[in-house]
């Protein structure tokens, strides 16, 4: 199911990039350095910090229902604060920064980085599930919930990173980072509340659905803003080309 999920997600979001931008190949390459970032941030940052704080506080992460509120808030913010920061690390590559000169470039650069992170996260989570004896006897075709969730999460990561990268190019990095963190926190809140035993799974699912719809609205707004910025220039360029061609051919 992990192979199917990664394949479907990669094909679908590659297709989306091909539809929305003629430069889809250059953005697609950006997804590659983002693939291992989920494993890196989980193994080297989130896990040591989470386990260290839990040991210091004497809290069991297997029994979140008895954990103090401050620890749940800490867990809720740990992923957004660390993951939204590491997702833009590939921008250290000079080639990646060269594409940030326009709102359109920033949008699709951020989206590709986020989707790449999400696909890598799907593989990392699948590896963790495969190591758990609790799931050893389950056939692969029962993990359709994993497929649906990971496919949607890839889109969410793409939009969150697009928000951050777009703000970076506008000289408002803190605003973009806080916005991405808040969106990420909202997306994770329902799942954490379910794990703590506060809400049933239906409420957690509804919470994620609402956040995904909000992300879709934000994505469409970013896309329209990018089109408004690039379309006038494209029209002017087309008019210049047509004018020169007519003059060369002896036309008016």
């Amino acid at each position: 199911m992990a192979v199917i999920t990664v394949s479907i997600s990669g094909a679908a979001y590659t297709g989306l990039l091909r539809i929305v931008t003629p430069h889809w190949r250059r953005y697609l390459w950006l997804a590659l350095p983002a693939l291992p970032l989920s494993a890196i941030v989980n193994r080297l940052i989130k896990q040591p910090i989470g386990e260290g704080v839990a040991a210091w506080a004497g809290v069991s992460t297997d029994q979140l229902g008895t954990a103090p509120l401050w620890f749940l808030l800490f867990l809720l913010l740990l992923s957004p604060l660390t993951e939204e920061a590491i997702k833009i690390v590939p921008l250290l590559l000079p080639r990646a920064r060269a594409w940030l000169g326009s709102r359109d470039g920033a949008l699709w650069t951020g989206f590709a980085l986020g989707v790449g992170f999400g696909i890598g996260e799907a593989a990392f989570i699948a590896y963790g599930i495969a190591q758990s004896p609790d799931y050893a006897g389950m056939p692969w075709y029962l993990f359709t919930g994993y497929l649906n969730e990971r496919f949607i999460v890839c889109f969410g990561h793409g939009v969150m990173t697009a928000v951050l990268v777009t703000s970076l190019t506008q000289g408002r990095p803190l605003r973009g980072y806080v916005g991405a963190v808040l969106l990420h926190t909202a997306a994770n809140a329902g799942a954490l509340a379910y794990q703590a035993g506060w809400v049933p799974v239906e409420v957690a699912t509804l919470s994620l659905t609402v956040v995904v719809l909000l992300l879709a609205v934000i994505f469409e707004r970013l896309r329209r803003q990018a089109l408004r910025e690039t379309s006038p220039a494209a029209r002017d360029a087309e008019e210049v080309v047509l004018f020169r061609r007519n003059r060369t051919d002896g036309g008016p």
Side-chain angles (χ1 to χ4, degrees), residues 168-193:
L168 282 174
T169 61
Q170 296 172 345
R172 296 179 289 186
L174 182 60
R175 175 180 175 180
Y177 178 66
V178 171
V181 167
L182 289 177
L183 289 170
H184 199 150
T185 302
N188 289 354
L192 183 63

Side-chain angles (χ1 to χ4, degrees), residues 78-164:
L78 181 59
S79 290
L81 289 172
T82 55
E83 291 182 3
E84 294 308 319
I86 200 171
K87 284 193 288 185
I88 60 171
V89 166
L91 291 181
L92 295 174
L93 299 171
R95 187 71 176 272
R97 293 198 304 275
W99 301 333
L100 300 180
S102 66
R103 190 186 292 267
D104 183 76
L107 167 61
W108 299 118
T109 294
F111 187 77
L113 289 174
V115 169
F117 180 92
I119 292 175
E121 184 178 61
F124 176 76
I125 290 176
Y127 175 80
I129 293 175
Q131 304 305 307
S132 174
D134 296 336
Y135 302 101
M138 293 181 62
W140 66 271
Y141 50 81
L142 292 183
F143 288 92
T144 52
Y146 159 85
L147 187 156
N148 296 331
E149 179 191 67
R150 289 299 105 195
F151 182 84
I152 294 172
V153 167
C154 285
F155 173 76
H157 278 305
V159 178
M160 295 170 197
T161 313
V163 169
L164 175 52

